Amino acid sequence: MTRDELTVFCAALPQATHVVQWGNADVYKVGGKVFAVIGMGESGNTVTFKASEMAFEILSDSPGLRPAPYMASRGLKWIQHYDEPGLPDDSLRDHIKASYDMVVAGLTKKKRSDLGL
C-alpha cells in the first residue's frame, strides 16, 4: 500500500484522529491513544502498528517486518512494516484494524461511550 492509501484507510476508522509528530510521521489515534504510525523510519515509507502477543511473535521474524524501533525495545508489542515483501495489502489492513480494535478495547467504558464506540 502507498502512504496515501494507508492514511486514507486509517483516517476512515471510526473516531480516528490524525496528528503529525516525530518529524514527518502521520500518527493515528483513537481516544487519544496511538494505533498506527505511518512514515516513521529511515525511508519514510513505513507503517507501525500494535500487535497481539501471538502476532508479534509470528511477524517479528517475517521478511520486511521487524519489532518497531523504540516501541518494542520498551517491551511494547509493536511491529514495523519497513520493506518488501512485508505483508500483502489485505493482511496489512487487517493488522492495522486489529491494532485499532486493541486500542479501543483498552479505553475506559466512559471514553468508549463518549466516542460512540
Side-chain angles (χ1 to χ4, degrees), residues 19-115:
V19 296
V20 176
Q21 289 181 238
W22 308 307
N24 193 32
D26 292 301
V27 179
Y28 286 89
K29 302 179 182 186
V30 60
K33 305 291 184 182
V34 177
F35 69 88
V37 181
I38 301 168
M40 188 172 74
E42 304 83 38
S43 70
N45 293 322
T46 63
V47 60
T48 303
F49 53 88
K50 188 173 187 167
S52 67
E53 287 195 34
M54 183 184 301
F56 183 82
E57 293 303 318
I58 293 168
L59 297 176
S60 290
D61 294 328
S62 299
L65 304 173
R66 64 182 170 203
Y70 310 110
M71 294 172 162
S73 66
R74 290 171 173 75
L76 303 174
K77 305 295 185 202
W78 285 73
I79 293 291
Q80 186 175 75
H81 182 289
Y82 71 98
D83 200 5
E84 297 296 327
L87 294 166
D89 292 352
D90 287 344
S91 184
L92 182 56
R93 280 189 290 271
D94 289 346
H95 282 285
I96 293 170
K97 177 63 167 70
S99 176
Y100 169 89
D101 290 341
M102 283 185 276
V103 171
V104 168
L107 299 174
T108 65
K109 287 183 182 182
K110 179 176 182 351
K111 186 68 157 182
R112 287 194 307 267
S113 177
D114 290 349
L115 293 171

Side-chain angles (χ1 to χ4, degrees), residues 1-8 24-26 38-40 44-45:
M1 294 180 76
T2 67
R3 185 171 178 160
D4 288 342
E5 290 169 330
L6 286 165
T7 60
V8 167
N24 193 32
D26 292 301
I38 301 168
M40 188 172 74
N45 293 322

